[in-house]
Amino acid sequence: MKQVCVFLFCLLTFSACAKNKDAYTVKGKIGNYNAPAVIYLQYLGDNDVVSQSTVLKDGAFSFTGVLKEPANARLVLLPTGETINNQQRYEQTLSLILVPETIEVNSTDVLQNAVVSGSLVNEEHQELNRSLQQAHSELSRFMAEAQNVSPEQMADAQYIDSIQTQYLILTKQADELLINFAKTHPQSFVSLMIIANLMENPESQKRASGLFNDLSAELKTTKTGKEIASYLEATTYIAIGSPAPDFTQNDVNGKAVSLSDFKGKYVLIDFWASWCGPCRKENPHLVQAYHRYKDKNFEILGVSLDQGDRAAWMRAIERDQLTWPQVSDLRGWQNAVAKQYNITQIPQNLLLDPDGIIIAKNLRGSDLEIKLSEIFKN
């Protein structure tokens, strides 16, 4: 048994928790694979990810164990029998929900085409995946096309706006499918998975909060339910209408800069990084808004989530012509300000009024200029 780190969440259900001393069995047949082909089962245990493996014989495999709590799990099939590397993506991967029942996984060819049976929650999971398939296919095609844009198109703000608009439409379609499932399955473990995923997107955190409130009491009191509740409480702390917590961090010259230094101005706190493509695409909009309103009591304070590489941070500031104050502790996602503000995705921004109250969040593209024009119309 090998301990490795791979998953963000271990998701739970009350009905399964009531049987937490029961054993699980995951078994099945994938094509006609034989040695050296190996299949792995991975899930989060008490503290670390548990990884089990077995060599396939005529495609057959079986795993058994005991769960204290049901878990989000995955199967990975490696035809050449190499040791799994959790930093690498594998083609033959299948997600499932591990519960103290007998779960069967069968396919006539490859793992990703397998049918999972033997538990209601996995049938619900597959039902959801089928409904999402078309939305994800359209999004994948769009992302492939967007990665092949020309330098001229990248420099065209109107074109970038159209790309961002189309991306938001496609992601919203997928989100609506998830949200509708969670609405109609308030006692399902899959709904808890959906809420966990929605919380990773700042644009859908409000919806996630509403869905969580409608879940059964049993789901809310599980370990993951409590973690989600704590996370939602933290995001409420940084909500529109709340005062922005003060912070201090060093600028590009090593000088300490505090948010409170800008009291009396409208301030946009911009979370970004030199390695973040979407952030860099947003920067031309920020530059345009800054030059238009910097003499009208408006300031931007950039907080970079760069990690270690000060030179890359400085190059991005120069190339994107970011002439406003910039701070960072160069600790990446462990940036103290990002953790204080519960930032889990970038780009993100918050607009503060002169009293330091958050009045808007995540103003993308032309939205920032529209908001500022409303503020400074007189």
Side-chain angles (χ1 to χ4, degrees):
M1 187 178 293
K2 183 179 178 183
Q3 304 292 331
V4 293
C5 292
V6 66
F7 293 116
L8 177 63
F9 288 100
C10 174
L11 301 170
L12 319 172
T13 56
F14 174 77
S15 60
C17 288
K19 299 186 276 184
N20 61 11
K21 293 183 180 180
D22 289 356
Y24 66 81
T25 298
V26 181
K27 64 180 182 178
K29 187 176 186 300
I30 309 299
N32 294 300
Y33 286 98
N34 284 290
V38 62
I39 189 167
Y40 285 80
L41 171 67
Q42 295 185 318
Y43 65 93
L44 188 62
D46 291 338
N47 298 302
D48 297 309
V49 170
V50 175
S51 185
Q52 298 174 274
S53 65
T54 186
V55 175
L56 291 162
K57 183 175 181 181
D58 294 328
F61 68 93
S62 180
F63 296 105
T64 59
V66 176
L67 283 175
K68 288 186 177 179
E69 298 176 334
N72 195 24
R74 73 170 184 170
L75 291 168
V76 180
L77 193 155
L78 304 178
T80 57
E82 69 267 33
T83 301
I84 195 169
N85 177 354
N86 290 288
Q87 302 304 315
Q88 185 174 340
R89 297 183 66 179
Y90 295 101
E91 182 179 357
Q92 295 213 46
T93 302
L94 182 73
S95 63
L96 55 86
I97 299 167
L98 196 60
V99 290
E101 300 174 10
T102 297
I103 301 170
E104 295 195 13
V105 181
N106 293 287
S107 171
T108 57
D109 43 31
V110 291
L111 179 60
Q112 60 268 36
N113 293 335
V115 174
V116 182
S117 59
S119 69
L120 175 61
V121 68
N122 279 291
E123 291 173 4
E124 291 175 337
H125 192 207
Q126 289 203 318
E127 173 194 338
L128 178 62
N129 285 338
R130 284 191 293 270
S131 68
L132 286 169
Q133 189 172 4
Q134 181 177 352
H136 285 169
S137 295
E138 292 179 4
L139 185 58
S140 295
R141 283 197 301 269
F142 169 78
M143 294 299 290
E145 292 173 3
Q147 288 175 357
N148 294 321
V149 299
S150 67
E152 291 77 17
Q153 289 173 316
M154 286 289 291
D156 184 343
Q158 186 174 0
Y159 178 78
I160 295 300
D161 276 347
S162 69
I163 287 288
Q164 291 172 335
T165 299
Q166 182 64 17
Y167 174 77
L168 290 174
I169 290 172
L170 291 173
T171 54
K172 186 177 180 180
Q173 289 175 354
D175 282 351
E176 287 303 318
L177 290 172
L178 294 170
I179 288 165
N180 288 335
F181 183 96
K183 280 182 178 178
T184 55
H185 298 77
Q187 297 185 1
S188 173
F189 170 71
V190 180
S191 297
L192 200 58
M193 291 176 61
I194 288 170
I195 292 169
N197 288 331
L198 289 174
M199 289 194 313
E200 296 178 13
N201 184 348
E203 301 297 330
S204 56
Q205 284 178 358
K206 186 175 181 180
R207 300 289 295 273
S209 177
L211 292 171
F212 181 78
N213 290 337
D214 292 336
L215 288 181
S216 67
E218 291 83 1
L219 282 174
K220 290 178 183 178
T221 55
T222 60
K223 179 182 176 182
T224 300
K226 291 177 181 178
E227 290 174 353
I228 291 175
S230 297
Y231 182 91
L232 292 173
E233 183 178 357
T235 57
T236 302
Y237 170 62
I238 313 295
I240 292 175
S242 302
D246 194 18
F247 60 83
T248 300
Q249 207 158 82
N250 289 346
D251 66 11
V252 295
N253 298 313
K255 179 183 176 182
V257 175
S258 297
L259 176 62
S260 55
D261 296 340
F262 304 95
K263 200 72 175 287
K265 293 187 175 183
Y266 286 91
V267 179
L268 185 79
I269 307 175
D270 177 46
F271 293 92
W272 73 292
S274 67
W275 46 260
C276 170
C279 302
R280 304 292 294 274
K281 291 178 182 178
E282 281 292 317
N283 282 341
H285 298 288
L286 297 183
V287 170
Q288 183 175 336
Y290 183 69
H291 286 294
R292 180 167 295 179
Y293 295 102
K294 67 177 181 177
D295 297 325
K296 297 183 180 181
N297 208 36
F298 172 65
E299 186 61 272
I300 299 178
L301 177 57
V303 180
S304 170
L305 273 65
D306 278 81
Q307 183 167 358
D309 193 346
R310 184 176 184 277
W313 178 37
M314 297 295 293
R315 282 196 303 271
I317 291 173
E318 182 178 358
R319 289 177 181 174
D320 294 358
Q321 301 179 22
L322 312 182
T323 56
W324 50 84
Q326 296 282 346
V327 299
S328 182
D329 57 13
L330 296 176
R331 294 175 58 197
W333 289 107
Q334 298 305 310
N335 180 289
V337 181
K339 290 180 72 67
Q340 181 182 6
Y341 277 70
N342 204 31
I343 300 301
T344 59
Q345 183 175 331
I346 54 176
Q348 280 200 65
N349 59 51
L350 301 92
L351 181 62
L352 317 183
D353 71 7
D355 294 321
I357 304 299
I358 300 170
I359 59 174
K361 298 173 73 172
N362 297 317
L363 297 169
R364 304 280 182 83
S366 59
D367 290 345
L368 176 60
E369 285 222 38
I370 292 171
K371 183 65 176 179
L372 293 176
S373 69
E374 293 173 357
I375 291 172
F376 296 114
K377 60 184 178 181
N378 296 323

